[in-house]
Amino acid sequence: MHQNIRQMLELTYSEENYLKAIFHLSEEGKKSVSTNDISAEMKTRPASVSDMLRKLGEKEVIEYRKYYGVHITEEGKKLALQTIRKHRLWEVFLVEKLNFSWDEVHEVADELEHIKSKILIQRLDEYLGFPKFDPHGDPIPDEYGDVRSRPRLPLSELEINATGQIVAVKDSSAAFLRYLDKVGAYIGARIKVMDKVEFDGSIEILVDNKKSIFMSKEVVNNILIMQ
Amino acid sequence: MHQNIRQMLELTYSEENYLKAIFHLSEEGKKSVSTNDISAEMKTRPASVSDMLRKLGEKEVIEYRKYYGVHITEEGKKLALQTIRKHRLWEVFLVEKLNFSWDEVHEVADELEHIKSKILIQRLDEYLGFPKFDPHGDPIPDEYGDVRSRPRLPLSELEINATGQIVAVKDSSAAFLRYLDKVGAYIGARIKVMDKVEFDGSIEILVDNKKSIFMSKEVVNNILIMQ
DNA sequence: TACATACATTAGGTATGACTAAAATATGAT
DNA sequence: ATCATATTTTAGTCATACCTAATGTATGTA
Ligand SMILES: [Mn+2]
Ligand SMILES: [Mn+2]
Ligand SMILES: [Mn+2]
Ligand SMILES: [Mn+2]
């Protein structure tokens, strides 16, 4: 069923980071991912990216045609999803068990996600009660790389008087998350759109039927809701 | 009080491993630690050790005189103890929270010990209830590198009819730990020496006043007890 | 079609951390 | 005091992962 004939190839710490970045960039736009995109995401120079793309291409986790960007392969997707699974499980652990706030977990999880032990992740998953979403509302892939994502749309697309529930954030930067904490928005909060300003794309929302907040276009584009 | 004027220097993953090995070897014999000793402990070739000693010497975490072995400095001791602290806290986590057995934790902890976040370790320590000993009975240094070790001696030194309690194991290899599991010996078990065989150094002990076991010299040398 | 320019790759270099083989040093035995 | 041997270091190499500078490629505009 979910077994691999060929044994799972090992990636280095750095290769895992690049592959994860390529996976995320692939999800956004559908077309191929460019060297410059990866360079920006990874904060390394384009020349370094080219080096890495050659290596990832040889390992067949991406399809690499020089000058034409890359596509992630099925094998690559599977590996990237394993790293993402570990990242998100560790984030849940940090928030649920160690009382980290959701804006503090990203960097630490970026290190923890590379710990190799398979049994560690299985036990951690079990210990956390097999969570399906991380603290930012992102789905946690299962050990076969399957993701049960829930339908979600940017808060900006809700009409006046429409209601919904915050299920995730598109931007997980500490600055944005701390802003959300400050205004009392959180994953699970119930939202009603009270007013929309055509001019600047800002809106007024009611949170949990009690608190009225004004949010800028930048903010509402980065809050994902479920209706 | 415990503050450092100069900021704590950063060591690489590999430097941390070498320094930890040097620290452990220093604890055993009091004299200086040789290149070959480190080579054996680290499973790298002596030439690689010489390279690393030069680097660690430059960073002043060891005192390095070519051809005469090394001594760890106070700064080095402090850093090694931080790594050991992390290693042992993670071991406690794996056993107490994730139900690892004590023979499964070492390799995983050897990776986890290098995760950098200071707050992570503080929170983990708190979450675990500020444990003072790891699953193998070894003391956990505090965040300043202070160790409260309890007096302990090899089981081999107990006289006939003397009693004691297992507080630690000298050898933490999976093979040895699984043997102890099999015969029902564990940290905290009460021991009474029933008989000692001069010829081969083996002994007969009573565990928890109910189970009689024969143990070889190799085994009794590696069990540490408190009287 | 030509070409300016943005984008991407290659060439060459650095740092880390490993290796083998060769050379240097220390040490114990005669 | 000399020397054989074990130990240790150095020299030279390789792989990973980054960099800058130079070169090559694609693409849209003239
Ligand atoms: Mn990472
Ligand atoms: Mn997340
Ligand atoms: Mn380690
Ligand atoms: Mn231990």
Side-chain angles (χ1 to χ4, degrees), chain B residues 93-205:
Chain B
F93 169 71
L94 294 172
V95 167
E96 299 284 313
K97 304 294 185 181
L98 298 197
N99 293 310
F100 277 62
S101 57
W102 65 342
D103 60 289
E104 295 175 317
V105 298
H106 197 73
E107 286 171 343
V108 181
D110 258 350
E111 286 192 67
L112 286 164
E113 72 191 0
H114 304 289
I115 304 289
K116 298 251 170 310
S117 169
K118 198 151 221 157
I119 183 179
L120 172 63
I121 292 306
Q122 285 168 353
R123 298 275 173 94
L124 183 65
D125 192 23
E126 185 183 350
Y127 180 57
L128 297 172
F130 306 105
K132 295 289 168 281
F133 298 92
D134 85 359
H136 312 103
D138 291 314
I140 298 173
D142 69 19
E143 61 180 314
Y144 309 111
D146 292 334
V147 191
R148 282 266 157 278
S149 49
R150 44 190 172 191
R152 55 200 211 178
L153 68 164
L155 175 50
S156 51
E157 291 185 16
L158 275 199
E159 303 301 326
I160 291 185
N161 284 325
T163 60
Q165 200 171 1
I166 299 180
V167 290
V169 290
K170 205 186 273 175
D171 175 356
S172 288
S173 71
F176 183 57
L177 298 177
R178 279 198 298 262
Y179 162 81
L180 292 180
D181 282 341
K182 203 171 75 173
V183 301
Y186 59 95
I187 304 287
R190 291 180 183 284
I191 298 292
K192 182 176 182 184
V193 178
M194 304 307 287
D195 195 15
K196 299 184 76 160
V197 180
E198 288 287 331
F199 172 65
D200 63 359
S202 70
I203 68 172
E204 183 191 354
I205 61 170

Side-chain angles (χ1 to χ4, degrees), chain A residues 85 88-89 92 96-97 121-134 139-143:
Chain A
R85 168 174 164 76
R88 292 180 181 164
L89 282 172
V92 173
E96 299 285 312
K97 305 295 185 181
I121 293 307
Q122 284 168 353
R123 298 275 172 95
L124 182 64
D125 192 23
E126 185 184 350
Y127 181 58
L128 297 173
F130 306 106
K132 295 288 168 280
F133 299 93
D134 85 358
I140 298 174
D142 69 19
E143 60 181 313

Side-chain angles (χ1 to χ4, degrees), chain A residues 87-88 91 106 134-136 138 172:
Chain A
H87 184 102
R88 292 180 181 164
E91 284 189 344
H106 198 73
D134 85 358
H136 312 103
D138 291 314
S172 287

Side-chain angles (χ1 to χ4, degrees), chain B residues 32-49:
Chain B
S32 71
V33 179
S34 75
T35 299
N36 266 0
D37 291 346
I38 299 167
S39 165
E41 180 81 12
M42 291 294 297
K43 285 156 190 173
T44 55
R45 319 260 50 206
S48 310
V49 175

Side-chain angles (χ1 to χ4, degrees), chain A:
Chain A
M1 186 125 307
H2 275 294
Q3 300 172 54
N4 287 322
I5 312 299
R6 51 180 292 191
Q7 81 164 51
M8 215 56 149
L9 68 148
E10 292 269 307
L11 298 183
T12 65
Y13 185 107
S14 202
E15 286 168 344
E16 282 184 352
N17 283 334
Y18 273 93
L19 191 60
K20 194 167 61 115
I22 292 166
F23 177 87
H24 285 312
L25 291 167
S26 303
E27 297 291 281
E28 290 172 18
K30 285 291 102 180
K31 11 154 231 154
S32 72
V33 179
S34 75
T35 298
N36 265 2
D37 291 345
I38 300 168
S39 165
E41 180 79 13
M42 293 293 299
K43 284 155 194 186
T44 55
R45 319 258 51 204
S48 310
V49 175
S50 287
D51 279 354
M52 184 56 85
L53 294 184
R54 192 187 37 71
K55 281 190 287 182
L56 292 177
E58 279 164 12
K59 292 196 172 185
E60 296 180 48
V61 295
I62 60 171
E63 220 181 294
Y64 176 39
R65 275 184 59 216
K66 278 179 195 172
Y67 294 102
Y68 291 92
V70 299
H71 291 274
I72 194 162
T73 64
E74 279 308 307
E75 183 71 11
K77 230 175 251 175
K78 216 173 270 178
L79 287 168
L81 282 163
Q82 282 316 300
T83 306
I84 290 166
R85 168 174 164 76
K86 289 190 272 180
H87 184 102
R88 292 180 181 164
L89 282 172
W90 280 116
E91 284 189 344
V92 173
F93 168 72
L94 294 172
V95 167
E96 299 285 312
K97 305 295 185 181
L98 298 197
N99 292 311
F100 278 62
S101 58
W102 65 341
D103 60 289
E104 295 174 317
V105 297
H106 198 73
E107 287 171 343
V108 182
D110 257 350
E111 285 192 67
L112 285 165
E113 72 191 1
H114 304 290
I115 304 289
K116 298 248 171 310
S117 169
K118 198 149 222 158
I119 183 178
L120 172 63
I121 293 307
Q122 284 168 353
R123 298 275 172 95
L124 182 64
D125 192 23
E126 185 184 350
Y127 181 58
L128 297 173
F130 306 106
K132 295 288 168 280
F133 299 93
D134 85 358
H136 312 103
D138 291 314
I140 298 174
D142 69 19
E143 60 181 313
Y144 309 112
D146 292 336
V147 191
R148 283 264 156 278
S149 50
R150 45 191 173 191
R152 54 198 214 180
L153 68 165
L155 174 50
S156 50
E157 293 186 13
L158 276 198
E159 302 301 326
I160 291 186
N161 285 324
T163 60
Q165 199 171 1
I166 299 181
V167 291
V169 291
K170 205 186 275 177
D171 176 355
S172 287
S173 70
F176 182 56
L177 298 177
R178 278 198 298 264
Y179 162 81
L180 293 181
D181 283 340
K182 202 171 77 176
V183 301
Y186 59 95
I187 304 285
R190 293 184 179 281
I191 298 293
K192 182 175 182 185
V193 178
M194 303 306 288
D195 196 15
K196 300 185 75 161
V197 181
E198 287 287 330
F199 171 65
D200 62 0
S202 69
I203 68 173
E204 184 192 354
I205 62 170
L206 196 66
V207 178
D208 288 334
N209 286 315
K210 49 177 196 269
K211 203 176 162 193
S212 172
I213 315 175
F214 287 91
M215 284 178 165
S216 71
K217 180 178 61 183
E218 289 74 28
V219 169
V220 295
N221 280 334
N222 282 298
I223 293 178
L224 300 173
I225 61 126
M226 179 179 74
Q227 273 187 300

